[in-house]
Amino acid sequence: MEQQTARYHWPEPGSADTATAMPLLPYQPLTLEATFSCAAVAAASASGPGPHVVLSTTPPRVDPAAAPLPGLRVVEDDGMLRISSYGTRIAQQAVPAAGECTWQVHSDHRRTELRKDGNIVARVDADVRPAVSGAFTDSSTVDGLRLDLVADTRFQTAPSSAKLALGIACLLALGAMLAAVGRLDRAHRGHSRTGSRRGWWRPRAVDGVVAALAVVWQFIGPVTVDDGYIAGIVRGSEHSGFLGNAYRWLNAPEAPFSWIYEPYRLWSQVSVEALWLRVPSTLLLLSSWWLLSRLLLPRLGRFGGQRWVPWLAATALLVWWLPFNLGLRPEPWVAVGTLAVFYLVERAIATWTIRPLALAVALAPVTAAVTPGGIMALAPLGCAAVPLFRLLRTRTDLSVTARVVVPLAALGVAALPMFADQGLAAVVEAVRVRTLIGGDLPWYQEPQRYAHLLGFDSFEGSLPRRAAVLLTLTGVAALMWTLSRRRARQLPGLSRPVAIRLTATFTVALATMTFTPTKWTQHFGALAGIGAAVLVVACHTWSRSRNWHTAELLAGLAVTTVVGSLVLAGRNEWPYLSNDGVTWGTITPQLGGVELATLALTMGGTLTVALAIVAAWRRSGGRRALPGSSRLPSPALLTALLMVATVGLSFYSFGKAGLARADSYTMASDNLAAAQGDSCGLADALAVEADPRRGALPAAGAGPTATDRPELAVGGAVLPGWLAAPAEPTGDGTGPAFRTGWFRLSQAQRDGDLPVVVTTNGRAGRITARFAGPGTSTETEVAAPVSTERGDTVDVRVMAPGGAARVRLDVAAGGEPLAVSVPRSPELSPMNSLLPPGSSAVVDWPVAFFFPCVRHAAMTEGGTELPGWRLTTQQGNDAGEVAYSPVHGGPFAAARLLSRQQRVPVYLRGEPAREPARLYRWQPRTAARARPHLTERTVPGWSDAAPLNVPGLSG
């Protein structure tokens, strides 16, 4: 592997900076040498009252909201020198009263030792290498101070020429092997040639509908929960040169899984706009449709030739695909790979040939390397083990060695993408760090996934997700019952062995999800291809209601009623901004004020009970229980109607939201703008209040009875007229603790274009805005938000009612001090004017998909950039904090220590009371930035550097 080495030195020749930024990533260097003289100690001691920082690798004073890092600290206090590293005391020595001396600290992963004039005076035999975010001293001079370190760049590798040549040779050998096996297949005298039906390639109306819906969904469809996460990983690799986790785990690479990020990285070099990044998932949908409709359905039996089957298959595939597989998540890749493996296995069995089997054996592990859940791609091989082994045993034209070598050689192809740009030691260390930091759940907590699916507190249990999973699980249960009975052999047009293998494959694939490290319902999307096929077969068997016994029909109707009701009990909810304006996005579906779930359960239950009573009455008289049962609604019909309704609801709700919110932001408006030219995503719809000191509303009559608090600020800017509310309510505890005078609204506020904005600083409280005007008097009570970060402030935004001209505030603290600003009418400017396209920022993962024009802060050369901005989630969502949390291995934890964070209020076009994302200005504490000295070297893939450490964790 070709590896970059980065060395940092402080002070640089000719530099006199007493503070230098050096935010390492990982936080610890491979080795560190620090030197300080007695003269340097004396110079630091002369800086003022003690204690005095002689040398530190973390800033002595940091933002209170930033998480600390355990660095190297050399502190002089009252004649004593205290030295600590990574939270461990190294030594405590008396400072010599006179004379010259030199102290040296050497630290690596084996030991850290302190030398004085070349003699060891203290030593710790453990890995206590300090975290480094820079070099700092209280001394007014850098004379006698020096810091030299080698940054940890083990992951910044690229394949060497030898490794590339070996990979190409492996691919050529695989191609040659497949060609040779193909020749043997053609020469095999006993194999049957099962060809495709004539005209199978011709386009049909259903193909055009699927393609059109796929393109429309690409424009209007929602984001997935991790689109921003993956977009950040892909864009972070622009600078680092490898695919590391840009938000946690010390930016360790995602290897051995998630090789699909490499194609996404190449794809993103054309554009990082959402519309372009969604193209691969749309192509994967069309690939799934081609595999299902052209290759798999004919293999399932003659019933696939009926006119209604392709339409049902298209609906089933969309039911699975729409809620899960639009975006950058790996599930659509696994869905296509698993479906292709299943078809290749069936092709090998049908034609009695080896080459499809070899292709299946090669494709299955490559799919498994996409994500831990991709192991389900091996399920078709396991479920068809008996006929496949029979195939290998009966192919006497192949030697015993060839029968073993061909599958094993194909299986080994997975190693190519898994170790493409990382060595073995780096992959092992990345896995160790991810395991150490954790966040994963053990296999026996798999029921949590289904608890999320049936929950009502998030989009994890949304109606579309329930429809796909619950209907297919019901179909699997029905197929197991039907296919296990003898009369299943009489099901017309169905290949029973293939149907059994399909059902078994889905069941095994579902079981393999037990071993995925996380338990989110998003992972169900990997079952989309196989799940759609199962739904088609299940509906075919359910449609044969005339062959059912009465008990079976009643049981089928009862189960379908219960499952359908559970589906309708879910909200039509989608992740993040995608849920804005969606029909039933915040409530369960209703009709005339009655929940559809309750209505469906009542009607279906009543019908089932009534039929059961009729059947019992007729049977008591010795007659046939239910004559004409084929005219009753079958489970197949009810399932098909529910699938059509789910697909229709998805398209209708997003189309309606896109039209109704045309003056605000939607994915539809974003993608349409991108199709017409350059688009900056959500930034185009946002305005910022660059100077909150401006826009204070003028007093209307008596001024506010307030105490000015100029030391309190919003976004670092002092606001005029802060108002302090007492911590306790006055009087009987029900009235306001503080009341302002009247303020005159601006014209924009009277017109409803801008809200009344009050900035709060406190933990709890209540604000009541009272509006008045000619002929109107209105009160609007809002809860003062609780600040989630120490020293941060929060805006309370209230839209004035029609006819209002004045406003005043009643403020009550919730038992703790609360300060509020004078109400103001914000003076706004476009976000793109404050952050022009190309500006560098740390973009937290929940919003990273929405800001294509912002350049992601670089992580390279053993450290990170010091950007001037941070974009994060709306108030109350702290998911983005992992990027700055040392215990999570946040890549920007060291950079966060070097900056003061100041909030800049953000407003959404058309909905100015909302702040869908927060913007912070990062003001660096030091302008100096250390420059790395770079070299290149070739290292073996098994070369193992020092272990990575995470503050607060050990392992």
Side-chain angles (χ1 to χ4, degrees):
M1 305 295 297
E2 299 294 335
Q3 185 182 71
Q4 184 183 76
T5 301
R7 300 177 184 272
Y8 288 86
H9 307 290
W10 174 81
E12 290 282 353
S15 172
D17 294 319
T18 58
T20 297
M22 201 184 302
L24 294 192
L25 179 64
Y27 316 135
Q28 295 173 298
L30 289 177
T31 61
L32 177 142
E33 298 279 350
T35 303
F36 50 95
S37 65
C38 286
V41 175
S45 303
S47 62
H52 310 96
V53 175
V54 179
L55 178 61
S56 176
T57 59
T58 57
R61 290 163 293 278
V62 299
D63 190 326
L69 281 173
L72 171 69
R73 287 183 64 84
V74 180
V75 178
E76 185 278 333
D77 188 13
D78 197 21
M80 297 297 295
L81 201 61
R82 297 185 177 92
I83 304 169
S84 63
S85 179
Y86 208 67
T88 301
R89 174 172 289 187
I90 305 301
Q92 180 171 311
Q93 297 282 317
V95 178
E100 185 57 45
C101 64
T102 301
W103 304 80
Q104 291 179 320
V105 176
H106 169 82
S107 185
D108 59 32
H109 71 284
R110 296 184 180 89
R111 68 189 182 279
T112 296
E113 60 185 24
L114 174 67
R115 294 175 180 264
K116 180 182 179 183
D117 295 330
N119 300 315
I120 297 178
V121 295
R123 174 170 171 165
V124 175
D125 290 320
D127 188 357
V128 292
R129 290 169 294 156
V132 177
S133 61
F136 307 89
T137 180
D138 284 343
S139 174
S140 60
T141 177
V142 294
D143 294 341
L145 295 172
R146 184 161 183 82
L147 183 67
D148 300 283
L149 59 87
V150 179
D152 192 340
T153 55
R154 75 183 72 200
F155 300 131
Q156 293 180 212
T157 58
S160 63
S161 300
K163 186 173 183 178
L164 287 174
L166 180 61
I168 294 173
C170 289
L171 292 176
L172 292 176
L174 175 65
M177 181 189 73
L178 293 176
V181 171
R183 292 187 62 182
L184 289 174
D185 286 339
R186 288 192 294 271
H188 181 56
R189 282 184 279 178
H191 97 252
S192 60
R193 294 180 177 271
T194 303
S196 303
R197 294 178 301 168
R198 293 183 59 184
W200 64 272
W201 51 270
R202 293 174 183 168
R204 297 171 292 187
V206 65
D207 301 326
V209 171
V210 170
L213 292 179
V215 173
V216 171
W217 193 246
Q218 179 182 336
F219 273 84
I220 70 173
V223 297
T224 69
V225 67
D226 284 330
D227 280 349
Y229 204 103
I230 298 172
I233 289 175
V234 171
R235 297 188 64 181
S237 67
E238 298 173 2
H239 309 285
S240 65
F242 70 96
L243 289 161
N245 190 299
Y247 296 105
R248 58 185 304 195
W249 295 330
L250 298 171
N251 199 33
E254 293 290 289
F257 297 107
S258 299
W259 60 262
I260 60 163
Y261 296 163
E262 189 64 42
Y264 277 133
R265 178 169 69 166
L266 298 175
W267 192 258
S268 67
Q269 291 178 3
V270 177
S271 173
V272 293
E273 292 174 349
L275 180 63
W276 178 254
L277 293 180
R278 285 176 161 192
V279 170
S281 63
T282 301
L283 295 177
L284 290 170
L285 168 57
L286 298 178
S287 299
S288 295
W289 170 243
W290 184 78
L291 286 168
L292 180 63
S293 63
R294 294 303 198 273
L295 302 180
L296 189 55
L297 285 181
R299 177 65 181 148
L300 287 168
R302 297 189 310 275
F303 84 94
Q306 302 179 54
R307 290 186 177 181
W308 59 270
V309 172
W311 293 98
L312 178 65
T315 305
L317 183 60
L318 291 174
V319 162
W320 269 99
W321 203 273
L322 300 185
F324 295 111
N325 288 348
L326 177 66
L328 306 183
R329 288 276 313 175
E331 282 78 18
W333 297 78
V334 177
V336 174
T338 304
L339 195 63
V341 171
F342 183 85
Y343 166 72
L344 289 170
V345 167
E346 291 301 320
R347 180 72 178 174
I349 295 173
T351 60
W352 221 240
T353 52
I354 300 296
R355 183 159 61 180
L357 175 59
L359 286 171
V361 173
L363 182 58
V366 170
T367 304
V370 168
T371 183
I375 194 174
M376 67 175 59
L378 299 172
L381 294 167
C383 294
V386 172
L388 292 179
F389 284 152
R390 187 180 299 119
L391 166 61
L392 292 174
R393 291 171 64 92
T394 57
R395 283 296 299 269
T396 56
D397 56 324
L398 293 175
S399 65
V400 175
T401 303
R403 297 178 208 174
V404 175
V405 169
V406 170
L408 288 180
L411 191 66
V413 175
L416 296 179
M418 295 174 75
F419 297 92
D421 63 346
Q422 294 292 330
L424 176 62
V427 171
V428 171
E429 183 65 11
V431 172
R432 187 189 71 83
V433 170
R434 293 198 294 268
T435 304
L436 174 64
I437 294 176
D440 300 341
L441 296 177
W443 64 269
Y444 49 80
Q445 293 193 28
E446 176 66 13
Q448 283 199 14
R449 194 189 316 273
Y450 297 90
H452 290 313
L453 183 68
L454 297 177
F456 297 93
D457 55 349
S458 75
F459 56 83
E460 294 287 337
S462 66
L463 186 156
R465 295 190 179 197
R466 291 186 181 196
V469 178
L470 295 182
L471 291 178
T472 307
L473 290 178
T474 306
V476 168
L479 284 174
M480 287 181 176
W481 168 260
T482 304
L483 296 174
S484 63
R485 305 187 64 184
R486 287 187 177 181
R487 65 191 188 89
R489 300 177 185 275
Q490 279 76 50
L491 284 174
L494 179 66
S495 174
R496 184 170 179 267
V498 179
I500 290 176
R501 288 193 290 269
L502 176 67
T503 306
T505 295
F506 180 88
T507 305
V508 173
L510 190 68
T512 61
M513 294 176 61
T514 301
F515 303 101
T516 56
T518 54
K519 308 299 179 184
W520 304 114
T521 60
Q522 183 70 47
H523 300 153
F524 282 123
L527 298 167
I530 295 295
V534 167
L535 273 176
V536 173
V537 176
C539 286
H540 170 65
T541 58
W542 290 341
S543 65
R544 314 304 299 177
S545 59
R546 64 174 61 91
N547 298 328
W548 288 27
H549 294 302
T550 298
E552 293 175 330
L553 177 60
L554 293 176
L557 289 175
V559 171
T560 305
T561 296
V562 172
V563 172
S565 300
L566 286 175
V567 170
L568 294 174
R571 298 188 299 229
N572 185 31
E573 188 174 3
W574 303 83
Y576 306 142
L577 296 178
S578 300
N579 202 49
D580 292 347
V582 169
T583 304
W584 296 324
T586 56
I587 60 173
T588 54
Q590 297 180 356
L591 182 63
V594 180
E595 292 185 351
L596 287 180
T598 302
L599 191 62
L601 185 64
T602 301
M603 295 177 61
T606 301
L607 176 62
T608 303
V609 171
L611 291 176
I613 293 174
V614 171
W617 176 261
R618 293 180 62 84
R619 288 292 298 270
S620 66
R623 291 180 293 174
R624 183 180 176 184
L626 290 176
S629 60
S630 61
R631 294 191 295 271
L632 295 174
S634 70
L637 177 61
L638 297 178
T639 299
L641 290 176
L642 187 54
M643 289 194 297
V644 171
T646 301
V647 173
L649 174 63
S650 298
F651 279 96
Y652 167 77
S653 58
F654 279 97
K656 177 185 175 184
L659 294 175
R661 304 182 72 253
D663 60 339
S664 186
Y665 175 84
T666 62
M667 288 304 300
S669 63
D670 186 348
N671 290 324
L672 286 173
Q676 296 169 3
D678 292 335
S679 168
C680 286
L682 181 58
D684 290 338
L686 295 180
V688 295
E689 190 181 10
D691 188 358
R693 294 172 297 183
R694 306 178 63 180
L697 296 181
T705 56
T707 302
D708 287 342
R709 297 289 300 276
E711 72 276 12
L712 294 177
V714 53
V718 176
L719 286 175
W722 272 93
L723 314 173
E728 299 297 334
T730 59
D732 60 1
T734 60
F738 179 82
R739 173 171 289 176
T740 73
W742 289 100
F743 295 90
R744 186 179 300 109
L745 298 179
S746 68
Q747 186 63 46
Q749 290 171 327
R750 293 196 293 268
D751 294 340
D753 297 329
L754 288 178
V756 175
V757 182
V758 178
T759 300
T760 68
N761 188 295
R763 292 293 179 182
R766 187 182 70 253
I767 296 178
T768 302
R770 302 181 184 275
F771 295 94
T776 179
S777 178
T778 306
E779 295 184 8
T780 302
E781 182 175 313
V782 293
V786 176
S787 176
T788 57
E789 298 181 14
R790 290 170 291 176
D792 201 5
T793 54
V794 179
D795 286 342
V796 177
R797 303 177 183 180
V798 184
M799 300 301 294
R806 296 177 297 163
V807 65
R808 72 180 182 186
L809 306 177
D810 286 347
V811 183
E816 296 184 22
L818 174 67
V820 300
S821 72
V822 167
R824 66 185 188 273
S825 178
E827 297 187 5
L828 306 181
S829 57
M831 174 176 278
N832 289 329
S833 65
L834 189 64
L835 270 75
S839 298
S840 174
V842 180
V843 188
D844 289 350
W845 67 267
V847 297
F849 199 60
F850 301 110
F851 294 96
C853 294
V854 175
R855 182 177 66 82
H856 286 221
M859 293 174 284
T860 185
E861 299 171 347
T864 65
E865 184 183 352
L866 282 177
W869 303 94
R870 174 195 173 194
L871 281 162
T872 187
T873 55
Q874 60 188 1
Q875 182 70 32
N877 183 349
D878 60 353
E881 293 298 321
V882 294
Y884 320 95
S885 169
V887 75
H888 291 102
F892 289 95
R896 178 69 180 88
L897 289 178
L898 300 170
S899 302
R900 290 186 294 269
Q901 185 168 270
Q902 301 172 344
R903 186 173 67 88
V904 178
V906 173
Y907 298 78
L908 178 62
R909 181 186 64 208
E911 301 176 71
R914 289 188 58 198
E915 191 174 27
R918 283 178 292 166
L919 174 65
Y920 289 96
R921 179 183 282 110
W922 274 16
Q923 291 187 342
R925 294 182 176 274
T926 174
R929 178 73 160 85
R931 293 181 294 104
H933 299 265
L934 305 176
T935 57
E936 298 282 344
R937 61 172 183 157
T938 302
V939 297
W942 56 86
S943 177
D944 191 12
L948 295 173
N949 293 321
V950 180
L953 301 176
S954 60

